[in-house]
Amino acid sequence: MKNGIILVINAGSSSIKFSLFACDNLTLIYHGEIEEVFGSPILSIYDEKHDEIVKNKDIPSGYESAMQTFFNWFEDLSHQYILKAVGHRVVHGGLNYLKPTKVTNEIISNLTKLIPLAPLHQPHNLEAIKIVNKLYPKLPQVACFDTAFHSTQLKLVTLFALPKRLTAEGIIRYGFHGLSYEYIASVLPEYLGKIASGKVIVAHLGNGASMCALYQQKSIATSMGFTALEGLMMGTRCGNIDPGVILYLLQEKKYSIEEVTHLLYEQSGLLGASEISGDVRELEQSKSPHAMEAIQLFCYRAARELSALITALKGCDAIVFTAGIGENSVRIRKGICEWLDWLGVEINDKANENNLSIISHENSKVLVSVIPTNEEYMIAKHTFSLI
Ligand code: ADP
């Protein structure tokens, strides 16, 4: 008998990540990535032990050919596995999609209207859905939204101080990285015991970075808002900025809308502040004072956002670091925590250097933890429960 399998697709602007999970116990069987989709695509596939089993550089440029190459590889396994459904990460669900949803043509059309709210991600998420629809029209697909987990936020924290008529149009703070926060919330009791249901701030620090204030494992407030630009300084995104800077760039420096968009999404953050790289590993290896300053700014801005979320939670029992930087950068975790000594946060340097799951000192008034995220698993779980 063939084993049922769920494919999870996370389609981005330059890469498509995919993971294959067994339906019976949701264990990861294969995972991989197609990088440089619009350049010279490279398909890499890894088995469950993370050993590379495929490397294919002979792929025509473009989304459809890249995905077709992946499915050709998968067809070779069809004697063993049967694809039951595809789950997609979709960055924006807007006001109406507050939980994972089976994809229909009507849903694709509604989600297309949200492209202006997430121009870097939403078009690619939808492109992947449409390609699967074309290749396997009968295969169920499920959209899992990055915004959905934040639907429990207090209404007040979702408001901008803008005229009510704009709020009514949906110009509110939605929040993102919801699948990561949902996963972390679900495993919190394993790591934090009883504190899991208390006041916990999760710092998802990857290329995109945000924070979420959890109470009783639900989102109370988050640092990202209407788009994935608000809040923390990120790899190449600016995070919070005086809106007057944008007006100045448009009016005085005569930037075009496209130039401002490119500046805020792709040329700012760690990359802009260092003018070296938006990648923390590269900055940590650099001897340049600009690299050091960019990292320091990142830590300060992150601590500032975290302090704001403490107000929303009216306290803080634990801080959790996750995603590429949060799970790996000893220096950034320490740098952020040093700004929080007023709160009684005290790091255990040895535990931090060894990436242990609890990195706070026993005297610390706030527990500090490192928990690996797993957005793909969350998507597989939702997809399985909907089919
Ligand atoms: P994405 O948002 O694209 O999923 P990731 O969660 O993979 O991003 O995070 C990427 C970031 O994590 C990069 O800045 C990278 O340098 C950083 N990172 C990954 N591994 C390490 C490490 N060992 N030490 C420091 N930073 C790391």
Side-chain angles (χ1 to χ4, degrees), residues 13 20 46 54 56 64 114 138 164 199 210 273 290-291 300:
S13 54
L20 290 161
Y46 306 86
V54 173
N56 182 350
E64 190 157 349
L114 300 172
K138 296 218 169 87
K164 269 200 169 320
K199 299 169 179 179
S210 71
H290 302 304
Y300 164 66

PDB file of all heavy atoms in Angstrom, residues 13 20 46 54 56 64 114 138 164 199 210 273 290-291 300:
ATOM      1  N   SER A  13      10.200  35.099  -2.918  1.00  0.00           N
ATOM      2  CA  SER A  13      10.492  35.898  -4.108  1.00  0.00           C
ATOM      3  C   SER A  13      11.656  35.324  -4.914  1.00  0.00           C
ATOM      4  O   SER A  13      11.727  35.509  -6.117  1.00  0.00           O
ATOM      5  CB  SER A  13      10.791  37.335  -3.709  1.00  0.00           C
ATOM      6  OG  SER A  13      11.806  37.346  -2.740  1.00  0.00           O
ATOM      7  N   LEU A  20       8.049  17.399   2.738  1.00  0.00           N
ATOM      8  CA  LEU A  20       7.088  16.310   2.566  1.00  0.00           C
ATOM      9  C   LEU A  20       6.911  15.599   3.904  1.00  0.00           C
ATOM     10  O   LEU A  20       7.895  15.162   4.510  1.00  0.00           O
ATOM     11  CB  LEU A  20       7.601  15.326   1.510  1.00  0.00           C
ATOM     12  CG  LEU A  20       7.593  15.870   0.075  1.00  0.00           C
ATOM     13  CD1 LEU A  20       8.516  15.062  -0.814  1.00  0.00           C
ATOM     14  CD2 LEU A  20       6.182  15.856  -0.502  1.00  0.00           C
ATOM     15  N   TYR A  46      16.795  16.967   0.399  1.00  0.00           N
ATOM     16  CA  TYR A  46      17.440  16.297   1.539  1.00  0.00           C
ATOM     17  C   TYR A  46      16.493  15.241   2.096  1.00  0.00           C
ATOM     18  O   TYR A  46      15.272  15.421   2.052  1.00  0.00           O
ATOM     19  CB  TYR A  46      17.760  17.319   2.638  1.00  0.00           C
ATOM     20  CG  TYR A  46      18.573  18.488   2.143  1.00  0.00           C
ATOM     21  CD1 TYR A  46      17.938  19.592   1.567  1.00  0.00           C
ATOM     22  CD2 TYR A  46      19.969  18.482   2.218  1.00  0.00           C
ATOM     23  CE1 TYR A  46      18.678  20.660   1.084  1.00  0.00           C
ATOM     24  CE2 TYR A  46      20.709  19.553   1.743  1.00  0.00           C
ATOM     25  CZ  TYR A  46      20.060  20.645   1.177  1.00  0.00           C
ATOM     26  OH  TYR A  46      20.770  21.706   0.690  1.00  0.00           O
ATOM     27  N   VAL A  54      19.649  15.022  -3.750  1.00  0.00           N
ATOM     28  CA  VAL A  54      19.507  15.514  -5.131  1.00  0.00           C
ATOM     29  C   VAL A  54      20.101  16.902  -5.219  1.00  0.00           C
ATOM     30  O   VAL A  54      19.913  17.734  -4.328  1.00  0.00           O
ATOM     31  CB  VAL A  54      18.006  15.616  -5.535  1.00  0.00           C
ATOM     32  CG1 VAL A  54      17.852  16.296  -6.893  1.00  0.00           C
ATOM     33  CG2 VAL A  54      17.333  14.255  -5.555  1.00  0.00           C
ATOM     34  N   ASN A  56      20.202  19.502  -8.552  1.00  0.00           N
ATOM     35  CA  ASN A  56      19.938  19.632  -9.987  1.00  0.00           C
ATOM     36  C   ASN A  56      20.066  21.100 -10.383  1.00  0.00           C
ATOM     37  O   ASN A  56      19.327  21.952  -9.904  1.00  0.00           O
ATOM     38  CB  ASN A  56      18.515  19.104 -10.276  1.00  0.00           C
ATOM     39  CG  ASN A  56      18.166  19.161 -11.751  1.00  0.00           C
ATOM     40  OD1 ASN A  56      18.889  19.760 -12.546  1.00  0.00           O
ATOM     41  ND2 ASN A  56      17.051  18.548 -12.115  1.00  0.00           N
ATOM     42  N   GLU A  64       7.281  28.106 -12.911  1.00  0.00           N
ATOM     43  CA  GLU A  64       6.599  26.886 -13.353  1.00  0.00           C
ATOM     44  C   GLU A  64       7.603  25.771 -13.636  1.00  0.00           C
ATOM     45  O   GLU A  64       7.408  24.625 -13.215  1.00  0.00           O
ATOM     46  CB  GLU A  64       5.746  27.187 -14.589  1.00  0.00           C
ATOM     47  CG  GLU A  64       4.860  26.023 -14.903  1.00  0.00           C
ATOM     48  CD  GLU A  64       3.625  26.398 -15.709  1.00  0.00           C
ATOM     49  OE1 GLU A  64       3.342  27.605 -15.861  1.00  0.00           O
ATOM     50  OE2 GLU A  64       2.964  25.452 -16.175  1.00  0.00           O
ATOM     51  N   LEU A 114      -5.259  41.075  -1.966  1.00  0.00           N
ATOM     52  CA  LEU A 114      -4.409  41.478  -0.828  1.00  0.00           C
ATOM     53  C   LEU A 114      -2.943  41.669  -1.236  1.00  0.00           C
ATOM     54  O   LEU A 114      -2.109  42.002  -0.387  1.00  0.00           O
ATOM     55  CB  LEU A 114      -4.500  40.435   0.292  1.00  0.00           C
ATOM     56  CG  LEU A 114      -5.902  40.215   0.880  1.00  0.00           C
ATOM     57  CD1 LEU A 114      -5.908  39.041   1.843  1.00  0.00           C
ATOM     58  CD2 LEU A 114      -6.375  41.478   1.604  1.00  0.00           C
ATOM     59  N   LYS A 138      -7.117  18.145  -9.347  1.00  0.00           N
ATOM     60  CA  LYS A 138      -8.003  17.492  -8.352  1.00  0.00           C
ATOM     61  C   LYS A 138      -7.386  17.464  -6.947  1.00  0.00           C
ATOM     62  O   LYS A 138      -8.031  17.076  -5.973  1.00  0.00           O
ATOM     63  CB  LYS A 138      -8.288  16.055  -8.777  1.00  0.00           C
ATOM     64  CG  LYS A 138      -9.064  15.956 -10.072  1.00  0.00           C
ATOM     65  CD  LYS A 138     -10.082  14.819  -9.995  1.00  0.00           C
ATOM     66  CE  LYS A 138     -11.041  14.869 -11.153  1.00  0.00           C
ATOM     67  NZ  LYS A 138     -10.519  14.144 -12.333  1.00  0.00           N
ATOM     68  N   LYS A 164     -11.129  57.025  11.315  1.00  0.00           N
ATOM     69  CA  LYS A 164     -11.900  55.781  11.426  1.00  0.00           C
ATOM     70  C   LYS A 164     -12.260  55.192  10.069  1.00  0.00           C
ATOM     71  O   LYS A 164     -12.332  53.980   9.904  1.00  0.00           O
ATOM     72  CB  LYS A 164     -13.189  56.065  12.198  1.00  0.00           C
ATOM     73  CG  LYS A 164     -13.055  55.851  13.693  1.00  0.00           C
ATOM     74  CD  LYS A 164     -14.426  55.657  14.317  1.00  0.00           C
ATOM     75  CE  LYS A 164     -14.350  55.180  15.743  1.00  0.00           C
ATOM     76  NZ  LYS A 164     -13.328  54.196  16.017  1.00  0.00           N
ATOM     77  N   LYS A 199       2.899  35.213  30.766  1.00  0.00           N
ATOM     78  CA  LYS A 199       3.180  36.330  29.852  1.00  0.00           C
ATOM     79  C   LYS A 199       4.521  36.079  29.166  1.00  0.00           C
ATOM     80  O   LYS A 199       5.577  36.201  29.795  1.00  0.00           O
ATOM     81  CB  LYS A 199       3.224  37.637  30.654  1.00  0.00           C
ATOM     82  CG  LYS A 199       1.883  37.921  31.328  1.00  0.00           C
ATOM     83  CD  LYS A 199       1.978  39.042  32.331  1.00  0.00           C
ATOM     84  CE  LYS A 199       0.600  39.297  32.948  1.00  0.00           C
ATOM     85  NZ  LYS A 199       0.623  40.348  33.952  1.00  0.00           N
ATOM     86  N   SER A 210      10.148  39.740  13.846  1.00  0.00           N
ATOM     87  CA  SER A 210       9.058  40.370  14.583  1.00  0.00           C
ATOM     88  C   SER A 210       8.994  39.756  15.970  1.00  0.00           C
ATOM     89  O   SER A 210       9.753  38.827  16.269  1.00  0.00           O
ATOM     90  CB  SER A 210       7.712  40.184  13.860  1.00  0.00           C
ATOM     91  OG  SER A 210       7.270  38.849  13.946  1.00  0.00           O
ATOM     92  N   ALA A 273      22.238  49.618   7.331  1.00  0.00           N
ATOM     93  CA  ALA A 273      22.991  50.215   8.443  1.00  0.00           C
ATOM     94  C   ALA A 273      24.470  49.835   8.388  1.00  0.00           C
ATOM     95  O   ALA A 273      25.318  50.576   8.896  1.00  0.00           O
ATOM     96  CB  ALA A 273      22.380  49.798   9.776  1.00  0.00           C
ATOM     97  N   HIS A 290      31.338  49.223  11.076  1.00  0.00           N
ATOM     98  CA  HIS A 290      29.962  49.410  10.577  1.00  0.00           C
ATOM     99  C   HIS A 290      29.123  48.148  10.814  1.00  0.00           C
ATOM    100  O   HIS A 290      27.922  48.225  11.069  1.00  0.00           O
ATOM    101  CB  HIS A 290      29.959  49.743   9.087  1.00  0.00           C
ATOM    102  CG  HIS A 290      30.748  50.973   8.763  1.00  0.00           C
ATOM    103  ND1 HIS A 290      30.490  52.189   9.346  1.00  0.00           N
ATOM    104  CD2 HIS A 290      31.801  51.170   7.942  1.00  0.00           C
ATOM    105  CE1 HIS A 290      31.348  53.085   8.894  1.00  0.00           C
ATOM    106  NE2 HIS A 290      32.161  52.494   8.050  1.00  0.00           N
ATOM    107  N   ALA A 291      29.784  46.992  10.701  1.00  0.00           N
ATOM    108  CA  ALA A 291      29.076  45.723  10.949  1.00  0.00           C
ATOM    109  C   ALA A 291      28.665  45.660  12.417  1.00  0.00           C
ATOM    110  O   ALA A 291      27.518  45.334  12.748  1.00  0.00           O
ATOM    111  CB  ALA A 291      29.974  44.541  10.591  1.00  0.00           C
ATOM    112  N   TYR A 300      19.378  47.015  19.982  1.00  0.00           N
ATOM    113  CA  TYR A 300      18.673  48.105  20.660  1.00  0.00           C
ATOM    114  C   TYR A 300      17.225  48.187  20.182  1.00  0.00           C
ATOM    115  O   TYR A 300      16.281  48.277  20.974  1.00  0.00           O
ATOM    116  CB  TYR A 300      19.397  49.447  20.428  1.00  0.00           C
ATOM    117  CG  TYR A 300      18.517  50.622  20.775  1.00  0.00           C
ATOM    118  CD1 TYR A 300      18.111  50.839  22.092  1.00  0.00           C
ATOM    119  CD2 TYR A 300      18.053  51.477  19.780  1.00  0.00           C
ATOM    120  CE1 TYR A 300      17.252  51.881  22.407  1.00  0.00           C
ATOM    121  CE2 TYR A 300      17.200  52.518  20.085  1.00  0.00           C
ATOM    122  CZ  TYR A 300      16.805  52.722  21.395  1.00  0.00           C
ATOM    123  OH  TYR A 300      15.944  53.738  21.703  1.00  0.00           O
TER     124      TYR A 300
END
